[in-house]
Amino acid sequence: MQLAPLFPIVHRILQPTFPGCLWSGDRTCKAIALTFDDGPHPQYTPEVLAVLDRYNITASFFLLGACVNSSPSIAQAICDRGHWIGLHGYDHRSFPMLSPIELKESLEKTQLAIYTACNLSPEKVRDVRPPNGLFTPKTLNLFQQWKYRPVMWSVVPEDWVRPGVTEVVQRVLKQVQNGSLIVLHDGACGGQDVAATIQVLIPQLLQQGYKFISVDALWQQFNTSQLVIGNR
C-alpha cells in the first residue's frame, strides 16, 4: 500500500499539533525548500549535486552520520557548494526507539562526522529531521533541551518506494504551494531515481515562479511570522 495520498492529511493534523516544528515556510512568499534525506551516497548524491549546479539551486541535505563517514568527500562537496546541512541521525534508527542517551549520541556522532568531513562546527549543524518521520512529544522536548531545531515536511511524494520519476514529479506538482518543504531521498532507498526526478521537476517549478531557498531561510520566515503573531 502506498502512503503518498495520506501524507497531506497527516501534515494537516500534525502541523497545528506540533507548532514548534518547521513544517513549511511563508504561505505568502513564492519560495520553497528542496530537501534530501539519507545521504551522502557515493553515486546518487553527486548526481543530485550536478543537477543542482546546472540550475544554480540551493537545497538542504539531512545526512546520516554513518554515510558521512563512508563518503566524507561527498559530504564536503555538499558543504562546499553552499547547501544547507542537517542531521538525520547516525544510522536511520527511529528516534522513539532510542533512549535519550542513545539519541544524544546518535546526533552528536553525526555532528562529529560532519565536522570531520566538512570542518563545519557542531553549533552550525542543529537542524534535525527524524528518520521515517517518527517522533514523540518527548523527542521534541529533548531537541529543545539540547538546542536542536526539528524539521519536518509538507510535500512527501514517497519516492523511496520508487513509483517512477513521472509519478513522483506529478505528486510534487499537485501538492506544492508557497512555503512548501519538499522531501526527496538521495540514499540507498529512492536515490536511484532522484537525479532524474529533479531534472524534470526543477524546470517546471522554476517556470511556475518558485524560488528555491534553504531550510535555514525557512526558519527565518517561521521566526518572523511567530514574532508578528506574538506582537498582535
Side-chain angles (χ1 to χ4, degrees):
M1 175 184 174
Q2 293 193 355
L3 301 175
L6 300 179
F7 283 113
I9 300 171
V10 173
H11 174 262
R12 286 196 295 270
I13 295 171
L14 292 180
Q15 183 175 16
T17 306
F18 300 101
C21 302
L22 183 68
W23 295 94
S24 59
D26 187 349
R27 293 300 190 195
T28 67
C29 179
K30 208 167 180 65
I32 57 178
L34 186 60
T35 72
F36 300 92
D37 289 0
D38 296 355
H41 188 278
Q43 176 183 346
Y44 308 142
T45 304
E47 293 173 350
V48 167
L49 292 175
V51 178
L52 298 175
D53 285 350
R54 192 172 304 139
Y55 293 99
N56 195 27
I57 294 299
T58 297
S60 301
F61 289 79
F62 289 85
L63 305 181
L64 293 170
C67 293
V68 174
N69 283 334
S70 297
S71 302
S73 62
I74 309 301
Q76 184 178 16
I78 294 170
C79 184
D80 288 347
R81 284 166 168 78
H83 300 297
W84 191 251
I85 291 179
L87 308 169
H88 201 45
Y90 189 79
D91 52 10
H92 211 274
R93 285 187 294 167
S94 295
F95 289 167
M97 304 299 294
L98 303 179
S99 70
I101 292 175
E102 290 172 328
L103 176 56
K104 197 167 191 290
E105 287 180 348
S106 174
L107 297 174
E108 290 179 347
K109 281 175 65 179
T110 306
Q111 286 175 312
L112 177 60
I114 292 169
Y115 173 73
T116 303
C118 309
N119 197 30
L120 197 60
S121 67
E123 292 76 18
K124 294 185 177 180
V125 189
R126 287 285 173 175
D127 287 330
V128 181
R129 176 177 281 149
N132 306 309
L134 299 178
F135 64 93
T136 65
K138 182 179 178 181
T139 308
L140 299 182
N141 287 336
L142 290 172
F143 286 168
Q144 183 177 27
Q145 178 183 329
W146 299 331
K147 301 189 185 324
Y148 292 106
R149 302 190 299 186
V151 178
M152 303 306 174
W153 36 261
S154 61
V155 178
V156 186
E158 204 184 11
D159 61 325
W160 63 89
V161 300
R162 300 189 67 191
V165 169
T166 300
E167 181 64 27
V168 172
V169 169
Q170 288 178 349
R171 288 174 180 175
V172 174
L173 293 177
K174 183 177 180 180
Q175 298 179 39
V176 71
Q177 57 183 303
N178 292 356
S180 283
L181 213 171
I182 303 168
V183 179
L184 295 172
H185 294 77
D186 62 329
C189 296
Q192 300 91 333
D193 302 325
V194 67
T197 297
I198 62 173
Q199 176 59 52
V200 176
L201 182 62
I202 288 174
Q204 296 194 49
L205 292 172
L206 289 171
Q207 189 174 20
Q208 292 183 25
Y210 287 108
K211 175 185 177 183
F212 291 83
I213 63 175
S214 69
V215 161
D216 189 51
L218 282 191
W219 272 115
Q220 293 174 33
Q221 292 181 352
F222 175 84
N223 292 331
T224 299
S225 66
Q226 293 298 105
L227 183 63
V228 170
I229 292 172
N231 289 333
R232 286 177 179 172

